């Protein structure tokens, strides 16, 4: 190969190598910020280095990786299942709480969140937000007795939600929902079970007493009805007998006696019986 051609090949090869190296080490790239996320631009150099006060909208964002950093925060609802912890009530009873928090990030305050914590959202959830939840339970529990926590569960959780809403909102987090499984101490659980069993037994006894009273009233009404029926029947028979006796005249008695006579001469004792038979008719 001629020297001029050889130089040309080396020159072209050098240019290609330089272009390839430049392509790999060049600082410009882009970030796709998906819907439901917010990206913030962080300047690494210069007088205005730090978190910009401008929230990057969703879409493709070009930036210089040597001088700029893009951090992405999700703004859709997050669900965090925390490890259980123990809180103490005013009367020193220990309750176990297993909280689950639903929240989302206030998109307008994303720069403030990063400026304050300088950590990914996952770390913020397990540190700041967990401590906020624990403090809310601890503060509210100190104003309740163990018995009132169980008997006023709705008011207890309402106070916690109000406190969480206030404290999370200050740092750019919007409270959505809190689900908490509260487990009382074993001794209180036994007391509650015994109390419930006592209430159930009392209600059962009251129902049985009401049923016995109702059955007695039915029996009484039935007996009174039967007695009234017998009385009416007796009165009717008495009235009928009176009417029969009033309708018997001497002539009618004689006629009846003749009809009843069997042809034998009456003896002592048969006449009264014959008269009695006549009066029954």
């Amino acid at each position: 190969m001629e020297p001029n051609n050889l130089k040309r090949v080396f020159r072209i090869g050098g240019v290609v190598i330089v272009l390839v190296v430049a392509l790999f080490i060049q600082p410009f790239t882009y970030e796709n910020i998906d819907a439901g996320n917010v990206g913030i631009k962080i300047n690494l150099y210069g007088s205005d280095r730090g978190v910009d006060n401008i929230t990057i909208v969703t879409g493709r964002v070009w930036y210089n990786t040597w001088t700029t950093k893009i951090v992405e925060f999700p703004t859709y609802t997050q669900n965090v299942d925390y490890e259980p912890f123990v809180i103490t009530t005013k009367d020193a009873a220990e309750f176990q709480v297993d909280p689950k928090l639903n929240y989302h990030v206030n998109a307008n305050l994303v720069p403030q969140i990063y400026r304050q914590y300088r950590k990914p959202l996952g770390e913020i959830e397990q540190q700041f937000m967990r401590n906020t939840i624990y403090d809310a339970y601890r503060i509210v529990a100190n104003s309740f007795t163990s018995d009132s926590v169980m008997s006023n569960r709705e008011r207890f959780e309402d106070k916690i939600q109000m406190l969480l809403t206030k404290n999370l909102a200050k740092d750019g987090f919007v409270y959505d929902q809190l689900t908490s499984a509260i487990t009382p101490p074993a001794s209180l659980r036994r007391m509650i079970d015994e109390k419930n069993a006592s209430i159930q037994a009392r209600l059962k006894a009251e129902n049985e007493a009401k049923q016995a009273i109702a059955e007695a009233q039915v029996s009484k009404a039935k007996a009174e009805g039967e007695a009234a029926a017998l009385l009416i029947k007796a009165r009717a028979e008495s009235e009928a007998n009176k009417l029969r006796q009033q309708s018997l005249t001497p002539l009618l008695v004689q006629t009846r006696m003749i009809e009843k006579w069997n042809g034998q001469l009456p003896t002592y004792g048969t006449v009264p019986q014959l008269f009695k038979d006549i009066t029954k008719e």
Side-chain angles (χ1 to χ4, degrees), residues 175-194:
Y175 169 91
D176 290 329
Q177 184 182 18
L178 178 68
T179 304
S180 56
I182 302 178
T183 305
S187 58
L188 181 59
R189 183 72 264 173
R190 285 194 299 271
M191 290 175 59
I192 293 172
D193 291 341
E194 291 172 358

Side-chain angles (χ1 to χ4, degrees), residues 31-39 55-61 72 75:
E31 185 79 21
N32 284 322
I33 302 174
D34 299 327
N37 293 268
V38 168
T55 300
I56 306 299
V57 295
T58 59
R60 178 171 296 182
V61 180
E72 195 170 347
T75 56

Side-chain angles (χ1 to χ4, degrees), residues 6 39 59 112 170 280:
L6 185 61
Q112 173 185 323
K170 291 187 300 185
K280 286 184 178 180

